[in-house]
Amino acid sequence: ERDLIYTPSGWPQALKADLYRPKADGLRAAVLVIHGGGWAAPDRREQMAGIAEDLAARGYVVLNASYRYAPEYRHPAQLQDLQTAIAWLRSNAAQLAIDPARIGAFGYSAGGHLAALLGAVDAKPEHRLQAVVAGGAPTDLRKYPGGSLVPNFLGGSQAQVAVLLVVLVVCVPPIVPDLHKADSPLHQPSGKKQLASLFGVAVHLDAAAGVEREIGRVGDADAEAHPIRIVRTVARLRLEEALGRG
Protein backbone atom coordinates (compact mmCIF):
# COMPACT_ATOMS: atom_id res chain seq x y z
CA GLU A 1 0.00 0.00 0.00
CA ARG A 2 1.49 3.29 -1.12
CA ASP A 3 1.18 6.82 0.31
CA LEU A 4 -0.96 6.01 3.32
CA ILE A 5 -1.17 8.80 5.90
CA TYR A 6 0.18 7.68 9.25
CA THR A 7 -0.08 10.94 11.19
CA PRO A 8 -3.24 11.81 13.15
CA SER A 9 -5.63 14.60 12.27
CA GLY A 10 -4.25 17.94 13.37
CA TRP A 11 -0.59 16.96 12.95
CA PRO A 12 1.53 19.87 11.60
CA GLN A 13 1.89 18.03 8.30
CA ALA A 14 0.13 14.98 6.86
CA LEU A 15 2.93 12.48 6.37
CA LYS A 16 3.00 9.56 3.96
CA ALA A 17 4.36 6.05 4.25
CA ASP A 18 4.44 2.88 2.18
CA LEU A 19 3.27 -0.33 3.84
CA TYR A 20 4.70 -3.72 2.87
CA ARG A 21 2.94 -6.84 4.15
CA PRO A 22 4.36 -10.37 4.01
CA LYS A 23 2.56 -13.36 2.56
CA ALA A 24 2.54 -15.21 5.85
CA ASP A 25 0.16 -16.21 8.60
CA GLY A 26 0.35 -15.45 12.29
CA LEU A 27 1.76 -12.50 14.20
CA ARG A 28 4.78 -10.92 12.53
CA ALA A 29 7.54 -8.59 13.68
CA ALA A 30 7.46 -5.09 12.17
CA VAL A 31 10.22 -2.78 10.98
CA LEU A 32 10.10 0.98 10.44
CA VAL A 33 12.56 1.89 7.66
CA ILE A 34 13.91 5.44 7.53
CA HIS A 35 15.61 7.08 4.57
CA GLY A 36 18.55 9.46 4.71
CA GLY A 37 19.28 12.72 2.95
CA GLY A 38 20.64 15.07 5.60
CA TRP A 39 17.24 15.34 7.33
CA ALA A 40 16.23 17.53 4.37
CA ALA A 41 13.69 17.42 1.54
CA PRO A 42 12.74 15.87 -0.79
CA ASP A 43 10.99 12.68 0.27
CA ARG A 44 13.46 9.84 -0.45
CA ARG A 45 11.42 6.79 0.47
CA GLU A 46 12.54 5.14 -2.75
CA GLN A 47 16.04 4.81 -1.23
CA MET A 48 14.68 2.26 1.23
CA ALA A 49 12.23 0.49 -1.08
CA GLY A 50 14.61 -2.37 -1.84
CA ILE A 51 15.32 -2.98 1.83
CA ALA A 52 11.59 -2.79 2.61
CA GLU A 53 10.78 -5.34 -0.08
CA ASP A 54 13.55 -7.65 1.13
CA LEU A 55 12.35 -7.50 4.73
CA ALA A 56 8.73 -8.09 3.71
CA ALA A 57 9.81 -11.12 1.68
CA ARG A 58 11.36 -12.49 4.86
CA GLY A 59 8.15 -12.15 6.83
CA TYR A 60 8.27 -8.66 8.33
CA VAL A 61 5.56 -6.02 8.18
CA VAL A 62 7.42 -2.93 6.97
CA LEU A 63 6.53 0.77 7.12
CA ASN A 64 8.70 2.98 4.89
CA ALA A 65 7.95 6.43 6.29
CA SER A 66 8.59 10.01 5.31
CA TYR A 67 8.99 12.68 7.99
CA ARG A 68 9.11 16.47 8.24
CA TYR A 69 12.25 17.92 6.72
CA ALA A 70 14.75 20.58 7.69
CA PRO A 71 15.19 23.49 7.52
CA GLU A 72 11.45 24.19 7.52
CA TYR A 73 11.03 21.79 10.44
CA ARG A 74 13.77 21.36 13.03
CA HIS A 75 14.54 18.74 15.62
CA PRO A 76 12.68 17.23 17.45
CA ALA A 77 10.00 17.30 14.71
CA GLN A 78 11.59 14.36 12.85
CA LEU A 79 11.89 12.29 16.02
CA GLN A 80 8.28 13.01 16.98
CA ASP A 81 7.06 12.06 13.49
CA LEU A 82 8.78 8.70 13.58
CA GLN A 83 7.64 8.00 17.12
CA THR A 84 4.15 8.56 15.74
CA ALA A 85 4.91 6.02 13.00
CA ILE A 86 5.89 3.46 15.65
CA ALA A 87 2.69 4.21 17.55
CA TRP A 88 0.74 3.79 14.28
CA LEU A 89 2.19 0.30 13.85
CA ARG A 90 1.21 -0.64 17.38
CA SER A 91 -2.27 0.87 17.15
CA ASN A 92 -2.86 -1.14 13.95
CA ALA A 93 -1.21 -4.29 15.25
CA ALA A 94 -4.36 -6.41 15.28
CA GLN A 95 -5.38 -5.39 11.76
CA LEU A 96 -1.87 -5.92 10.34
CA ALA A 97 -1.06 -9.06 12.36
CA ILE A 98 1.90 -7.38 14.06
CA ASP A 99 3.42 -8.61 17.30
CA PRO A 100 3.58 -5.28 19.22
CA ALA A 101 6.45 -6.62 21.34
CA ARG A 102 8.66 -7.03 18.24
CA ILE A 103 9.11 -3.70 16.44
CA GLY A 104 12.44 -2.42 15.13
CA ALA A 105 13.84 0.41 13.02
CA PHE A 106 16.26 0.26 10.08
CA GLY A 107 17.80 3.49 8.77
CA TYR A 108 20.77 4.77 6.81
CA SER A 109 22.73 8.01 7.07
CA ALA A 110 20.43 10.67 8.57
CA GLY A 111 17.82 7.91 8.73
CA GLY A 112 20.32 5.85 10.73
CA HIS A 113 20.76 8.75 13.13
CA LEU A 114 17.00 8.96 13.62
CA ALA A 115 16.69 5.19 14.02
CA ALA A 116 19.43 5.17 16.67
CA LEU A 117 17.87 8.15 18.44
CA LEU A 118 14.49 6.38 18.48
CA GLY A 119 16.13 3.41 20.17
CA ALA A 120 18.23 5.40 22.63
CA VAL A 121 15.91 8.07 24.03
CA ASP A 122 13.55 7.58 26.92
CA ALA A 123 10.13 7.04 25.38
CA LYS A 124 6.55 6.14 26.14
CA PRO A 125 5.79 2.42 25.83
CA GLU A 126 4.00 2.90 22.49
CA HIS A 127 7.14 4.53 21.05
CA ARG A 128 9.71 1.97 22.16
CA LEU A 129 11.73 -0.26 19.86
CA GLN A 130 13.14 -3.72 20.39
CA ALA A 131 15.91 -3.44 17.81
CA VAL A 132 17.71 -0.84 15.72
CA VAL A 133 19.89 -1.07 12.63
CA ALA A 134 21.70 2.25 12.18
CA GLY A 135 23.81 2.31 9.04
CA GLY A 136 26.32 5.08 8.28
CA ALA A 137 24.75 7.07 11.09
CA PRO A 138 26.16 10.34 12.52
CA THR A 139 25.96 9.35 16.18
CA ASP A 140 27.74 12.39 17.65
CA LEU A 141 26.58 15.66 16.09
CA ARG A 142 29.35 17.56 17.89
CA LYS A 143 31.74 16.07 15.32
CA TYR A 144 30.13 18.13 12.53
CA PRO A 145 31.07 21.78 13.21
CA GLY A 146 30.92 22.85 9.55
CA GLY A 147 28.46 22.68 6.69
CA SER A 148 24.76 23.40 6.72
CA LEU A 149 23.04 20.04 7.34
CA VAL A 150 23.40 19.82 11.12
CA PRO A 151 22.72 23.56 11.70
CA ASN A 152 19.60 23.32 9.53
CA PHE A 153 18.49 20.26 11.48
CA LEU A 154 19.08 21.76 14.93
CA GLY A 155 18.40 25.41 14.15
CA GLY A 156 21.93 26.82 14.16
CA SER A 157 25.61 26.08 14.69
CA GLN A 158 26.86 24.88 18.06
CA ALA A 159 27.74 28.46 19.05
CA GLN A 160 24.50 29.92 17.66
CA VAL A 161 22.30 27.37 19.45
CA ALA A 162 24.08 28.05 22.76
CA VAL A 163 23.66 31.83 22.40
CA LEU A 164 20.00 31.44 21.46
CA LEU A 165 19.34 29.34 24.56
CA VAL A 166 21.09 31.87 26.80
CA VAL A 167 18.78 34.57 25.47
CA LEU A 168 15.63 32.45 25.74
CA VAL A 169 16.07 30.97 29.19
CA VAL A 170 18.15 33.79 30.73
CA CYS A 171 20.74 31.49 32.22
CA VAL A 172 24.50 31.52 32.42
CA PRO A 173 26.45 29.63 29.74
CA PRO A 174 27.74 26.79 31.96
CA ILE A 175 24.22 25.38 32.40
CA VAL A 176 23.09 25.83 28.81
CA PRO A 177 22.19 22.36 27.43
CA ASP A 178 24.47 21.13 24.67
CA LEU A 179 21.86 20.35 22.02
CA HIS A 180 24.42 18.80 19.70
CA LYS A 181 25.30 16.32 22.44
CA ALA A 182 21.73 15.83 23.66
CA ASP A 183 20.51 15.08 20.13
CA SER A 184 23.29 12.55 19.47
CA PRO A 185 22.37 8.88 19.94
CA LEU A 186 25.88 8.16 21.24
CA HIS A 187 25.25 10.26 24.34
CA GLN A 188 21.77 9.00 25.18
CA PRO A 189 22.44 5.59 26.76
CA SER A 190 23.01 5.31 30.49
CA GLY A 191 23.23 2.42 32.89
CA LYS A 192 19.77 3.26 34.20
CA LYS A 193 17.96 2.76 30.91
CA GLN A 194 16.61 -0.37 29.29
CA LEU A 195 17.70 0.21 25.72
CA ALA A 196 16.93 -1.34 22.38
CA SER A 197 19.66 -3.41 20.73
CA LEU A 198 21.77 -1.05 18.64
CA PHE A 199 23.64 -2.40 15.65
CA GLY A 200 25.99 0.00 13.85
CA VAL A 201 26.51 -0.84 10.20
CA ALA A 202 29.18 0.80 8.04
CA VAL A 203 28.11 1.37 4.44
CA HIS A 204 31.42 2.12 2.72
CA LEU A 205 33.31 -0.44 0.67
CA ASP A 206 35.87 -1.07 3.42
CA ALA A 207 33.11 -2.64 5.47
CA ALA A 208 33.47 -5.86 3.46
CA ALA A 209 36.66 -6.73 5.35
CA GLY A 210 34.94 -6.16 8.70
CA VAL A 211 32.18 -8.63 7.94
CA GLU A 212 34.26 -11.23 6.10
CA ARG A 213 33.78 -13.68 8.97
CA GLU A 214 30.02 -13.45 8.42
CA ILE A 215 30.06 -14.54 4.79
CA GLY A 216 29.71 -18.19 5.70
CA ARG A 217 26.43 -17.39 7.43
CA VAL A 218 25.23 -15.15 4.63
CA GLY A 219 25.82 -17.50 1.70
CA ASP A 220 26.72 -16.54 -1.86
CA ALA A 221 23.17 -16.76 -3.21
CA ASP A 222 21.89 -14.44 -0.51
CA ALA A 223 24.64 -11.87 -0.28
CA GLU A 224 25.78 -11.63 -3.91
CA ALA A 225 29.29 -10.27 -4.47
CA HIS A 226 28.83 -6.53 -3.87
CA PRO A 227 30.28 -5.36 -0.52
CA ILE A 228 27.33 -3.04 0.15
CA ARG A 229 24.93 -5.93 -0.41
CA ILE A 230 26.97 -8.06 1.99
CA VAL A 231 26.82 -5.38 4.69
CA ARG A 232 23.07 -5.00 4.19
CA THR A 233 22.64 -8.74 4.55
CA VAL A 234 24.67 -8.85 7.76
CA ALA A 235 22.54 -5.98 9.10
CA ARG A 236 19.43 -7.97 8.30
CA LEU A 237 20.86 -11.00 10.09
CA ARG A 238 21.45 -8.88 13.18
CA LEU A 239 17.86 -7.63 12.97
CA GLU A 240 16.63 -11.21 12.81
CA GLU A 241 18.68 -12.09 15.88
CA ALA A 242 16.93 -9.30 17.83
CA LEU A 243 13.38 -9.63 16.52
CA GLY A 244 13.29 -13.16 15.17
CA ARG A 245 12.36 -13.96 11.59
CA GLY A 246 9.32 -11.85 10.68
Side-chain angles (χ1 to χ4, degrees):
E1 183 179 352
R2 299 292 188 266
D3 292 334
L4 64 83
I5 303 297
Y6 72 84
T7 47
S9 176
W11 201 253
Q13 182 177 331
L15 296 172
K16 297 178 179 179
D18 300 330
L19 180 67
Y20 299 77
R21 301 181 66 176
K23 297 178 180 179
D25 297 325
L27 291 181
R28 318 303 300 178
V31 181
L32 171 67
V33 297
I34 310 167
H35 70 78
W39 307 281
D43 182 338
R44 295 178 172 87
R45 277 175 290 162
E46 73 279 358
Q47 291 182 348
M48 301 298 286
I51 290 174
E53 291 169 355
D54 180 56
L55 290 172
R58 293 177 180 277
Y60 295 93
V61 177
V62 184
L63 190 69
N64 184 5
S66 64
Y67 46 90
R68 285 176 287 172
Y69 301 116
E72 181 179 1
Y73 294 99
R74 296 169 177 169
H75 178 84
Q78 297 80 10
L79 179 67
Q80 293 167 345
D81 294 340
L82 296 169
Q83 286 178 326
T84 299
I86 297 168
W88 185 91
L89 285 168
R90 282 204 165 92
S91 66
N92 289 278
Q95 177 184 347
L96 299 176
I98 292 172
D99 179 351
R102 293 192 296 150
I103 297 180
F106 193 136
Y108 277 96
S109 191
H113 164 269
L114 293 171
L117 201 57
L118 285 166
V121 298
D122 282 327
K124 297 178 181 179
E126 62 266 28
H127 297 155
R128 290 177 186 163
L129 295 172
Q130 284 65 59
V132 167
V133 173
T139 56
D140 189 347
L141 299 186
R142 298 179 304 169
K143 303 296 185 182
Y144 300 85
S148 61
L149 294 179
V150 172
N152 285 344
F153 174 59
L154 292 182
S157 66
Q158 294 186 40
Q160 289 169 334
V161 169
V163 169
L164 178 61
L165 285 174
V166 170
V167 173
L168 289 179
V169 303
V170 196
C171 64
V172 294
I175 63 172
V176 172
D178 182 349
L179 287 190
H180 288 68
K181 180 177 180 179
D183 299 332
S184 300
L186 183 65
H187 298 287
Q188 288 289 337
S190 73
K192 297 180 181 179
K193 295 181 181 179
Q194 184 66 37
L195 297 176
S197 300
L198 300 177
F199 301 114
V201 183
V203 292
H204 47 77
L205 294 181
D206 293 341
V211 298
E212 184 175 359
R213 64 184 179 278
E214 302 282 357
I215 301 306
R217 296 181 57 206
V218 172
D220 292 339
D222 196 16
E224 301 177 1
H226 197 288
I228 299 302
R229 177 63 180 171
I230 293 172
V231 172
R232 280 178 47 182
T233 304
V234 172
R236 188 257 304 157
L237 287 171
R238 291 288 182 255
L239 190 69
E240 290 179 357
E241 288 176 0
L243 295 180
R245 281 290 293 268

